[in-house]
Amino acid sequence: MVPRPLAPAAPARPVNVLLLTVAGAVTVANIYFPQPLLAAVARGLDVSERTAGLIASAAQVGYALGILLLVPLADSARLRRLTSVLPALTSAALLVAAAAPDIVTLALATLALSTTTVLPQILTPVAAVLAGPGRQGRVVGLMGLGLTLGSTLSRTVSGAVTDASGSWRVAYVVAAVATAALLLVLPRRLPERLGPRGDLSYVRLLAGLPRLLAVHRELRISALLGACVFAAFSVFWSVLAFHLAAPPLGYGPGAAGLFGVLTLPAALLSAAAGPLADRYGVSAVSAGGLTCAALGLAAAGLGPYSPAALVAGANLLVVGVSSCQVAGQARIFGIGRAVAARVNTVFMLATFGGGALGSLVGSWLYAAHGWTAALLAAGACVAVAGLVVVAAARPAVPSCARDVTREAGGIRPRIPQGES
């Protein structure tokens, strides 16, 4: 049976990377800005700090659900409509959170707003596809920089707004206004669709995600790398606050938050990973990123009670992990525009899964065996990622199996020759 030919892809159009980067930064901030407010929320709603911590958990759960349930829509839905509806829903949920009379309402509003604030994971493949071959790494690097700055600086801004206003609710209102402002400029600057209009239903879009992973070698490589490096990253950051608070350091909670600002140089430097991936290939950038991550863990392990060593280690780890993520996304966006959003969904789910596992393992190891044991676990994740990079450098073996491209989304998998 001869496969039905695909409809021609929509012509590429110039991409306003700065606008997409700002939009990604503004929307990803909605996940992280409540974190410094949890103590104020606990006092304001008269609950324990542990109960207020449910807000942070609800944000992460909602974001993961949004990546799974909403991001794949970008492959078939109208982009302008999608990027209008999602910010509108997020803004409404932020206003509900601002007026929440109790912790249950706030948690449910947080779950809703974090589910719909997945615009960054839609805009990243859109920017990469519109940029075209040869510039995808650069564009993904800039988008990643925006997401890093948005997640980092949002904590500082929300804390300052709360201190100035005397109410944590004002921070939610400010976030709602900033998110709603995107409706004035973002949708009209996007194409009507990312790829050709398809006939896949929503159920088939979701059901095809595992098959995409089976068909595309580049996606398997990037997903495994993303899971490993983000697991190492999460191990470090999940136990850093405990380590800083323990003797002989004895720092307060503000010290861990300060590390977010102190790693801004690393976040800015990681933007160079995109152009380097375009020039030297994603495998070279992945190898360099893993080297930086390993050096960072070594610095933190060899100087466990030196603030300078810990800051240096944190910066090297941020550079390494960010570079690997940029390289991983640049690799998968070369698969094809018709499945760009769905391959990003698989990649991000793998990355978040590795991060969640890293947080659990890191916290358990630190409680049972201390700082060194946690860092060794993070180092083991980096080592596994290194083996993946080595294996990825080998040419793929052509398969004699039947062509499952059509079921996987209409894009024929490429057989990489050395460099994927």
Side-chain angles (χ1 to χ4, degrees):
M1 178 178 179
V2 179
R4 182 180 54 186
L6 293 173
R13 58 181 292 172
V15 53
N16 189 330
V17 181
L18 178 59
L19 172 61
L20 299 188
T21 300
V22 171
V26 169
T27 47
V28 80
N30 294 327
I31 304 298
Y32 299 100
F33 85 82
Q35 292 178 352
L37 312 181
L38 296 181
V41 168
R43 292 192 300 269
L45 297 180
D46 194 23
V47 297
S48 67
E49 292 189 357
R50 177 176 296 180
T51 301
L54 293 174
I55 304 305
S57 299
Q60 294 296 331
V61 170
Y63 197 55
L65 284 175
I67 290 174
L68 174 62
L69 301 178
L70 298 179
V71 172
L73 286 172
D75 281 337
S76 62
R78 294 179 177 177
L79 278 180
R80 294 175 186 175
R81 178 181 296 177
L82 188 62
T83 55
S84 297
V85 171
L86 291 181
L89 292 175
T90 301
S91 299
L94 283 165
L95 292 176
V96 172
D102 52 54
I103 193 66
V104 174
T105 304
L106 181 57
L108 292 175
T110 300
L111 183 67
L113 72 90
S114 57
T115 299
T116 58
T117 195
V118 291
L119 208 56
Q121 302 310 326
I122 292 174
L123 295 180
T124 298
V126 168
V129 166
L130 296 181
R135 296 188 68 247
Q136 290 181 334
R138 184 186 305 272
V139 169
V140 170
L142 289 174
M143 291 294 296
L145 174 61
L147 301 189
T148 301
L149 292 177
S151 61
T152 301
L153 297 181
S154 64
R155 299 179 178 97
T156 304
V157 172
S158 66
V161 168
T162 301
D163 286 342
S165 64
S167 172
W168 58 268
R169 299 179 187 273
V170 177
Y172 279 86
V173 174
V174 171
V177 172
T179 303
L182 296 175
L183 295 171
L184 302 177
V185 292
L186 181 61
R188 68 183 66 178
R189 302 303 297 270
L190 294 173
E192 183 65 19
R193 294 182 185 274
L194 180 59
R197 183 172 183 174
D199 57 357
L200 289 178
S201 67
Y202 177 67
V203 173
R204 290 183 63 190
L205 281 173
L206 296 186
L209 295 178
R211 188 172 293 277
L212 284 171
L213 190 64
V215 169
H216 297 289
R217 179 176 184 254
E218 299 94 331
L219 183 55
R220 293 194 298 273
I221 293 169
S222 289
L224 187 52
L225 274 175
C228 289
V229 297
F230 205 63
F233 185 81
S234 296
V235 167
F236 179 86
W237 288 101
S238 66
V239 303
L240 178 63
F242 300 117
H243 180 65
L244 293 175
L249 293 175
Y251 293 134
L258 183 61
F259 266 70
V261 178
L262 293 176
T263 54
L264 281 179
L268 295 172
L269 183 61
S270 65
L276 290 174
D278 288 334
R279 183 171 183 179
Y280 299 107
V282 292
S283 291
V285 173
S286 296
L290 291 177
T291 301
C292 289
L295 291 174
L297 293 173
L302 294 175
Y305 306 118
S306 167
L310 293 175
V311 170
N315 274 274
L316 284 167
L317 187 61
V318 168
V319 169
V321 172
S322 298
S323 298
C324 287
Q325 182 160 1
V326 168
Q329 288 185 301
R331 179 188 286 110
I332 63 174
F333 292 146
I335 292 174
R337 67 186 298 156
V339 291
R342 279 172 286 167
V343 295
N344 193 48
T345 295
V346 175
F347 174 76
M348 293 307 302
L349 286 176
T351 300
F352 268 81
L357 183 60
S359 296
L360 290 174
V361 171
S363 300
W364 179 82
L365 283 175
Y366 182 83
H369 304 289
W371 176 251
T372 301
L375 291 188
L376 286 175
C381 294
V382 173
V384 172
L387 294 177
V388 174
V389 171
V390 172
R394 299 175 181 174
V397 177
S399 174
C400 296
R402 66 186 181 90
D403 185 4
V404 293
T405 300
R406 183 177 175 187
E407 293 92 329
I411 295 297
R412 186 177 299 278
R414 294 184 291 111
I415 303 298
Q417 299 299 321
E419 182 69 65
S420 47

